[in-house]
Amino acid sequence: YAALFTAGFLGVLAPLVFHFAGTPLGLVYLQLPIYMLHQYEEHAGDRFRLWVNNMLGHGRDVLTPIATFWINSLFAWLLDLVALYLACFVDLSLGLIAIYLPMLNAFGHIVPAILKKQYNPGLVTSIFLFLPIGVLSTYVVSRAAGCNLQDQLLALGVAIAVYGTIIAPVRRGIAYR
């Protein structure tokens, strides 16, 4: 529930960021509050963790509450903050890391929904926030930064590596329980 409050707070600050930092950097910034909205859809009532444990763990606790906390705070929030700082102070193209991560996450919700033919916690924000804002943000940031294929692959590779790290606790839980 803190994610919902924080997303609202960061959302209220977004016009200032867009005004003073510009649209490309503003779109990198926007990834964090939209990720937090997604996390609210996922985790309110512990829905996503329970869904993962039922669907992948067959009722076993393959995703623990502590793993859920660290995945969301360290890998999503911290990564977005680092990507924002890199985009601001090193190279705008590095902001694509923060953009690619939620788009990868979206596929992690959409594919199971199609395969299982059912809703999963996080699906709605994946479809209606992550994909459209992600595609727009990728276009705007890539154009503003003059990104080439190497820039795209670097950002995508980092996002894939982080996403792999995010799902690692679940894979370990499935393997060892």
Side-chain angles (χ1 to χ4, degrees):
Y1 297 101
L4 183 61
F5 174 80
T6 307
F9 183 79
L10 293 175
V12 170
L13 293 176
L16 296 171
V17 174
F18 275 82
H19 178 77
F20 289 104
T23 299
L25 205 52
L27 288 168
V28 174
Y29 168 84
L30 198 59
Q31 301 308 306
L32 185 54
I34 67 168
Y35 217 113
M36 289 176 171
L37 288 173
H38 172 76
Q39 288 173 335
Y40 176 74
E41 180 194 0
E42 277 185 320
H43 300 293
D46 204 21
R47 291 184 299 192
F48 184 74
R49 192 183 71 79
L50 295 173
W51 181 84
V52 167
N53 289 339
N54 286 328
M55 295 301 288
L56 301 177
H58 305 290
R60 294 175 295 149
D61 203 22
V62 297
L63 182 59
T64 64
I66 194 70
T68 303
F69 171 79
W70 286 112
I71 287 167
N72 286 301
S73 59
L74 184 61
F75 291 112
W77 298 4
L78 184 61
L79 177 71
D80 279 357
L81 183 61
V82 168
L84 178 62
Y85 271 79
L86 290 171
C88 185
F89 297 111
V90 177
D91 190 305
L92 179 59
S93 67
L94 294 170
L96 290 171
I97 297 166
I99 297 166
Y100 283 140
L101 186 65
M103 289 198 298
L104 286 172
N105 190 317
F107 287 105
H109 287 278
I110 294 167
V111 170
I114 291 169
L115 294 176
K116 301 281 185 187
K117 296 183 173 107
Q118 67 181 32
Y119 168 82
N120 62 70
L123 180 63
V124 172
T125 50
S126 292
I127 293 169
F128 294 107
L129 291 178
F130 282 176
L131 290 182
I133 294 172
V135 169
L136 172 68
S137 299
T138 300
Y139 174 77
V140 170
V141 171
S142 295
R143 186 173 164 118
C147 290
N148 57 30
L149 181 59
Q150 182 178 346
D151 297 325
Q152 299 288 341
L153 292 176
L154 173 65
L156 183 59
V158 170
I160 288 170
V162 169
Y163 194 71
T165 303
I166 287 172
I167 61 173
V170 175
R171 295 181 74 95
R172 276 193 303 275
I174 291 169
Y176 295 114
R177 294 184 192 214

